[in-house]
Amino acid sequence: VSLYVSMSMAKNFQSIFVEWDLGMYHEESDTPAKVKTMALNEELGQISHVFSDKTGTLTCNVMDFRKCSIAGVSYGKGITAIGAAALQRRGEPVPVEALEANHKAREHAVPHVTFYDP
């Protein structure tokens, strides 16, 4: 019983910290984070795919977040270096919009996140 009570208290404190987190405040709509379930922190950041290779210990596996799809809607603009090279190999031009999105994403980038979606 004490473990259950301890876990419930920990989840409660975590929900309070989420609501206090200024980084989760949306200025445009004047909306703070609102926790409506005690299991929210368990649901955040769940991993559904892990990309790896067999030589992960010998190589530098760095992934950049560029695009995502939520409920079938694609978010994120831009193109990767591999995508641009593939277009050039086929003789197709790299879209100017994609290059501009890459530039805008780099302006506001945090490490390993080059995401831009106007």
Side-chain angles (χ1 to χ4, degrees), residues 70-111:
I70 301 172
V73 179
S74 180
Y75 297 94
K77 307 292 181 195
I79 191 167
T80 64
I82 294 171
L87 287 174
Q88 291 173 342
R89 201 172 321 124
R90 292 192 305 250
E92 299 175 26
V94 178
V96 175
E97 302 84 28
L99 296 174
E100 289 173 354
N102 283 357
H103 179 70
K104 290 178 182 177
R106 278 189 226 101
E107 286 177 351
H108 305 290
V110 296

Side-chain angles (χ1 to χ4, degrees), residues 15 18 24 34-45:
S15 68
V18 167
M24 297 186 69
K34 180 68 179 161
V35 177
K36 296 183 180 180
T37 175
M38 296 282 281
L40 180 66
N41 59 336
E42 295 169 359
E43 296 173 15
L44 291 174

Side-chain angles (χ1 to χ4, degrees), residues 17-27 31-33:
F17 290 134
V18 167
E19 290 185 350
W20 287 349
D21 188 356
L22 295 177
M24 297 186 69
Y25 174 74
H26 190 255
E27 288 185 44
T31 308

